Amino acid sequence: MTENQQLHPDPFKQFTRWFADAEQAELPLHNAMTLATASRAGKPSARMVLLKEVDARGFVFYTNYQGRKARELKENPFASLVFYWQPLSRQVRVEGAVERVAADESDRYFASRPRGHQLEADASSQSQVIKDRGFLEEQFKTFTQMFAGQEIPRPAQWGGYRLIPDTLEFWQEGAHRLHDRLRYRRIDNDHWVIERLAP
């Protein structure tokens, strides 16, 4: 991979190219990504989430605002994402600040979700200790009955976050472990520098 021949100067457009390649390859959950956060004390945690939108503003995912990841983002509003498309021998790392998306954006996305997913957002107190699965199923049943025959409003405790990157690294597997690592580093709002890293 040569910077001049294959890399787009805009990291978001470069990401969109690779993301489209993963989608066209029909990879399962091609929008799955590892989200790493850390507490105020620097204790890390990571989990898989789904990318729901990407544009020049950043990478968007949705979750419960009362779960562990949300608590950590409130304490330490920086995070890292990792996409790994093994059949394509590609990886993308993204790092930056995180902010909540606007309420109307969360409303629109919530309205587009399958009804069962909407009900789950009400039924689950994410990351809280519960007695057993029966309790969770009973909560789901309660909200199913509560909203029978009507639209389900977005719960106040559920919505989106946007990671606003300051660095993105594109990794392509190479022969003899001579992998290509190209990093975009933001130097101001509209300009990026591209740097090659040793594998």
Side-chain angles (χ1 to χ4, degrees), residues 38-54:
S39 67
R40 182 183 293 111
K43 183 177 180 180
S45 64
R47 74 291 288 159
M48 301 302 295
V49 298
L50 299 178
L51 176 69
K52 292 301 180 180
E53 182 184 355
V54 59

Side-chain angles (χ1 to χ4, degrees), residues 146-158:
M146 180 185 303
F147 291 116
Q150 58 182 295
E151 291 187 6
I152 303 170
R154 177 177 65 88
Q157 75 272 14
W158 189 96

Side-chain angles (χ1 to χ4, degrees), residues 1 88-90 171-181 199:
M1 178 166 61
L88 301 179
S89 299
R90 288 176 174 175
W171 178 94
Q172 177 77 62
E173 185 177 15
H176 313 296
R177 302 196 64 80
L178 295 176
H179 311 310
D180 287 307
R181 294 177 61 192

